[in-house]
Amino acid sequence: MLKALEYLCRASQAVSLEELARELSVAQPTAYRIANTLIATGYARVNGFHGGYVATLKVMELSSQVYSTFDLRGEARNAFRSVGMQFGETITVAQADGFEVVFVDKIRAGASLAFYCHIGRRLPLHIGAAARCILAHLDDDELEEYLGGELTARTSATHTSPAVLRALRTQALEDGYVLSVDEVDIGVSAIAVPLMDRGRVLGAAAIANTSTAWTPEDRADRVRAMKTAAAAMFGTVASGRGAL
């Protein structure tokens, strides 16, 4: 059972029943029973687009003891407080909860935009910089599942076109950050970077101000600072273009 789960976790795409049976050196009926047990316990699901089996995010619970000493909010505060102080702006930290993000911390470093975002606020994955950072790191099937659902708008600037969101995802992965302008609240812009650990997105951090406050140079400065802080959290090197 654990060998099957490990195989699903390592796989870069959905695993067919034949592949699973071959990996486990068992007959296909046996592999089918194992897969159904993993599905029944919530650790795997059938890939609705192309068939086969994929591991679910519940697998993360198996490593909870390993990551219990890693406090995302505490580490983010340590990494991003100096960025907020540098610019006198508020930074928020968000994590995924299904197909939404929930804001789990606010790092106040100035008087600007105290109203911007309260802890506990939820947004769909296609709305706002932090949310779209996390959306960009869904796998292809998850992305298409999400884009196939209802894409609501909060403002006239919210992106709701699947084609546009796919293009923005590509851009986010290339650039290493997301810029949103008026998507969540009219008059508010934000720059977000993903919080990545060994290829896994744990959340996103965003810095915000009024949409008229930042020049292109101001935005570029914040992109560089945010990416550097995110990389420092995990001892990595910032990636992407880092400029607008």
Side-chain angles (χ1 to χ4, degrees), residues 29-59:
T30 301
Y32 181 75
R33 288 194 296 271
I34 292 172
N36 277 347
T37 299
L38 290 174
I39 291 171
T41 52
Y43 289 104
R45 63 177 174 83
V46 175
N47 182 356
F49 290 96
H50 305 293
Y53 306 100
V54 294
T56 69
L57 291 180
K58 189 176 179 182
V59 174

Side-chain angles (χ1 to χ4, degrees), residues 90-93 103 116 129-130 190-193 204-208 226:
T90 297
I91 293 173
T92 52
V93 180
F103 288 86
Y116 162 61
I191 292 167
V193 293
I207 188 168
M226 293 289 285

Side-chain angles (χ1 to χ4, degrees), residues 89-105:
E89 294 166 348
T90 297
I91 293 173
T92 52
V93 180
Q95 289 183 281
D97 184 14
F99 280 158
E100 294 182 316
V101 294
V102 57
F103 288 86
V104 298
D105 202 9

Side-chain angles (χ1 to χ4, degrees), residues 100-128:
E100 294 182 316
V101 294
V102 57
F103 288 86
V104 298
D105 202 9
K106 177 190 291 185
I107 305 168
R108 293 285 302 278
S112 70
L113 286 182
F115 61 86
Y116 162 61
C117 186
H118 61 266
I119 295 174
R121 186 181 193 181
R122 290 176 174 270
L123 288 172
L125 286 183
H126 66 287
I127 301 180

Side-chain angles (χ1 to χ4, degrees), residues 12 45 54-55 135-144 169:
S12 59
R45 63 177 174 83
V54 294
L135 180 72
H137 289 85
L138 296 181
D139 65 35
D140 291 343
D141 290 339
E142 289 174 326
L143 178 70
E144 291 307 317
R169 177 212 194 192

